[in-house]
Amino acid sequence: QVHLVESGGGLVQPGGSLRLSCAASTRIVGIYSMGWYRQAPGKQRDMVAVISSGGSTAYADSVKGRFTISRDNAKTTMYLQMNSLKPEDTAVYYCNLQVGSRAEWGQGTQVTVSS
C-alpha cells in the first residue's frame, strides 16, 4: 500500500498562488491515475484535477485556466499549481491515487483564501 503525503497548503490572499505537493512512498508503475480533490465545510468531496499514468489531464470547470496538475516521475511527486486563487477555493485538498479498483488518500492539507 502506497502512502501519500500532501504539503504546501496555507493562507493566501485572493489573487495569490500556492503550489501543493503530493509525495508517494514508493515509485508508482503501470496503469494508474492520480489527482487532487477538495472538500469545503458542508459540501461533498469534489474532483479538482487528475492526471493519468499516460500523462493525460482533466480539470473541474471551476479551476480550468487557473490550476495546473503535473507529475515528477523521478521523485514520485505530484503537484497542483494554483493561481488566481479565489475565496471559494478554500477547502481541504486531498491527494488521491487510483490503481485498478483500489484508492489511496493522503491526509489532506488546508488551503484558505482570504484577505
Side-chain angles (χ1 to χ4, degrees):
Q1 302 295 324
V2 64
H3 185 221
L4 305 175
V5 179
E6 300 99 331
S7 62
L11 174 65
V12 64
Q13 295 185 353
S17 298
L18 284 174
R19 189 177 74 158
L20 306 183
S21 298
C22 174
S25 58
T26 61
R27 191 177 188 90
I28 303 171
V29 298
I31 301 174
Y32 64 89
S33 66
M34 295 188 72
W36 292 95
Y37 294 71
R38 67 186 182 187
Q39 187 168 23
K43 298 184 178 180
Q44 67 180 17
R45 186 174 299 183
D46 294 327
M47 186 273 287
V48 177
V50 295
I51 184 167
S52 73
S53 52
S56 62
T57 59
Y59 297 89
D61 289 340
S62 59
V63 306
K64 286 181 179 178
R66 300 188 298 120
F67 291 9
T68 303
I69 189 170
S70 62
R71 181 180 61 220
D72 183 341
N73 290 319
K75 297 183 177 181
T76 66
T77 303
M78 180 181 64
Y79 304 95
L80 183 68
Q81 178 66 47
M82 305 185 295
N83 299 324
S84 301
L85 283 162
K86 305 174 181 179
E88 50 263 45
D89 295 318
T90 296
V92 177
Y93 284 70
Y94 297 90
C95 177
N96 167 263
L97 169 66
Q98 188 76 37
V99 182
S101 62
R102 299 184 179 182
E104 302 289 342
W105 295 90
Q107 82 286 352
T109 184
Q110 177 71 49
V111 172
T112 302
V113 185
S114 176
S115 297

